[in-house]
Amino acid sequence: MLKKFFLALVTTILLSSVNSAIAANYKIDSEGQHAFVQFRIQHLGYSWVYGSFKNFAGNFTFDEKNPENDQVKVVINTASIDTNHAERDKHLRSADFFNVKKYPEATFISTKVSQVKGAYHIEGQLTLNGVTKPIVLNAILMGKGDDPWGGYRVGFEATGKIKLKDFNFKKDLGSKSQQAELIISLEGVKLP
């Protein structure tokens, strides 16, 4: 009887460790304000203008042992841009920049994920302002584990850069403002 108990216990432990290594699907927790899509761009070379998109959603798969199986998809409502300045935000929504009436959404879909020295190299297609181009995001795993509400979470921070001209932005902001830096923080809740 004791032998059967120990065999069952060992089997349970082994199965739980196998399950933790299998890819899982996560929903980005943007509703709970545990995810941010932010950017910064130089202003005349003197300072930075920071902004974010307040309305976005997405999901990802995470397989810690096999990152090549990971996938990411994010959809951003471009009209939700917020740089803490109403007039600037209105201009950014215009055809000079994001052209939100014609292109209300931006999407990022990963095409390849690899792990390099503990960090994640995420290649993907960004569709923005009617243009689809490849971009690369570099991400680090912030942490993973159970949450206080009975769920399981994993979080990442990613950075990248995009050239404004690549995405058909009409307005030239000067030589110091040709690219924007992306700062993305995502916390995902494991789906059942």
Side-chain angles (χ1 to χ4, degrees):
M1 185 79 153
L2 192 57
K3 195 174 188 181
K4 285 183 180 179
F5 171 76
F6 282 117
L7 182 60
L9 181 63
V10 168
T11 302
T12 301
I13 291 169
L14 287 174
L15 285 175
S16 67
S17 66
V18 167
N19 284 339
S20 68
I22 295 174
N25 296 315
Y26 294 83
K27 179 182 177 187
I28 295 170
D29 188 13
S30 51
E31 295 165 5
Q33 289 298 300
H34 297 116
F36 302 88
V37 175
Q38 301 172 309
F39 62 89
R40 70 179 193 168
I41 189 166
Q42 284 198 31
H43 180 250
L44 305 174
Y46 305 139
S47 65
W48 293 97
V49 171
Y50 286 81
S52 64
F53 293 94
K54 299 296 187 184
N55 187 348
F56 63 93
N59 52 57
F60 60 89
T61 58
F62 178 55
D63 184 340
E64 193 167 11
K65 302 289 184 191
N66 302 291
E68 65 276 5
N69 295 334
D70 294 347
Q71 297 176 338
V72 181
K73 181 177 181 183
V74 179
V75 178
I76 299 167
N77 175 339
T78 53
S80 71
I81 194 167
D82 184 354
T83 64
N84 203 30
H85 189 281
E87 285 303 309
R88 178 172 50 224
D89 294 344
K90 182 179 176 183
H91 190 197
L92 289 172
R93 292 182 187 106
S94 76
D96 282 345
F97 294 100
F98 288 92
N99 202 0
V100 301
K101 286 185 180 175
K102 190 170 182 182
Y103 305 110
E105 290 183 344
T107 60
F108 174 78
I109 300 173
S110 66
T111 55
K112 181 180 178 184
V113 178
S114 55
Q115 195 170 16
V116 182
K117 296 182 181 176
Y120 294 88
H121 188 79
I122 305 167
E123 299 175 41
Q125 296 288 321
L126 175 63
T127 300
L128 174 64
N129 204 17
V131 177
T132 300
K133 293 266 186 186
I135 69 164
V136 175
L137 299 174
N138 294 299
I140 56 169
L141 174 64
M142 298 294 295
K144 58 187 169 52
D146 296 328
D147 66 25
W149 308 281
Y152 188 87
R153 293 173 181 255
V154 62
F156 295 90
E157 183 175 79
T159 58
K161 294 179 181 179
I162 62 168
K163 294 180 181 176
L164 301 188
K165 295 290 185 192
D166 286 350
F167 292 94
N168 204 25
F169 285 82
K170 305 290 186 203
K171 188 79 171 170
D172 188 339
L173 297 174
S175 62
K176 299 286 188 180
S177 306
Q178 296 299 304
Q179 68 179 10
E181 297 183 9
L182 306 175
I183 308 128
I184 301 161
S185 179
L186 298 179
E187 187 174 303
V189 180
K190 188 175 179 181
L191 295 171

